[in-house]
Amino acid sequence: MRAFRMHDWLTEPVLTEVDVPEPGPGQVLVRIGGAGVCHSDLHVFREFEPGRMPWRLPFTLGHENAGWVESVGAGVTGLDPGMPVAVYGPWGCGACDRCLRGVETYCERPRDAPVPLGGAGLGLDGGMADYLLVPHARHVVPLPDGLDPVTAAPLTDAGLTPYHAVRRSWSKLTPTATAVIIGVGGLGHLAVQVVKATTAARVVAVDTRPEALELARRLGADVTLRPGDGVAEVVRDETRGRGADVVVDCVGNDETLALAASVARVLGDLTIVGLGGGRLPVSFFAMPFELSVQTTYWGSRPELVEVLALASRGLLHTEVTRFSLDDVAQAYRRLEEGTLTGRAVVTP
């Protein structure tokens, strides 16, 4: 089969031929219908030096995956060949307290995981291929009726990550609240919809690109702004001087973090989900009092089920640009150039 694989650190992955894997006991072989192209992959093959992560090369990229069950190993029940499924990407030990709660992103015994601190496409073979071998059936989630694998694939990260960020702030997203979403890209365009679908809060979307702001308006944003439009002043005007109850930064560089802190409300939440590498200075007067600042990584398996349910009901729409597996390198180039709207999905 074809697979887009990393063979060395700080080098471009290449599309190559490998054997189709066979599922062992408890494992599931998934025929890939869609694999999302994520910006974090660029960090993996552009910036990760040897020894930074406890991963062995080579491995196939692709951590946003959905498709159909091809075959199962001994002991697997409830997953029949041909069943449409999504794959929960972070793979933990399965036995620690966090894993038992379905939060395998924060596995507390990573040495007992299939790969430490990783999962599909992150240290082990992912879904940028014709087939994906999933090491345990618990990572395979049946798709609800009406949801196809191409649409579902990016929801496993680009949908799940902002959903987790917004969900943990639900108590602050009342009908009188305002949420600011910074960056309306692969994650941000879904973050806008998550707020609108699960709360009654108003949404302010911020992006540098006119086409991204137009997408945000189509998806329900109440106010759209460019960073140079006096964002902090507009947000204060829109909130009677109080500021935003919740800010989700889907970029995470120095400029967006400074903007996030400037628009946040006292006792608000600022959640950083973008991997822009920025820093947020903290001092007594540097930000609103009792502003909670947190980073998040992915989301839980139960939350993925909730995300898929929202999408199947038409409450989450994934803006998708399709690429064939033969054109996967072009998809990553477009992502790096910033010329994609929404999420790129590779369809073998």
Side-chain angles (χ1 to χ4, degrees), residues 2 4 15 32-38 64 127-130 150 153-154 319-348:
R2 298 164 299 166
F4 190 60
L15 191 62
I32 292 295
V37 178
C38 184
E64 294 184 341
M128 293 291 177
D130 294 304
V150 174
E319 190 78 4
V320 167
T321 303
R322 298 191 186 201
F323 292 83
S324 71
L325 187 53
D326 292 330
D327 294 328
V328 61
Q330 179 189 353
Y332 279 104
R333 282 197 298 272
R334 290 276 305 278
L335 177 65
E336 193 167 29
E337 292 166 357
T339 58
L340 290 171
T341 300
R343 201 65 157 181
V345 177
V346 171
T347 57

Side-chain angles (χ1 to χ4, degrees), residues 108-132:
E108 295 177 315
R109 289 168 25 189
R111 291 185 180 180
D112 296 331
V115 60
L117 307 176
L122 299 168
L124 282 181
D125 287 340
M128 293 291 177
D130 294 304
Y131 296 94
L132 167 64

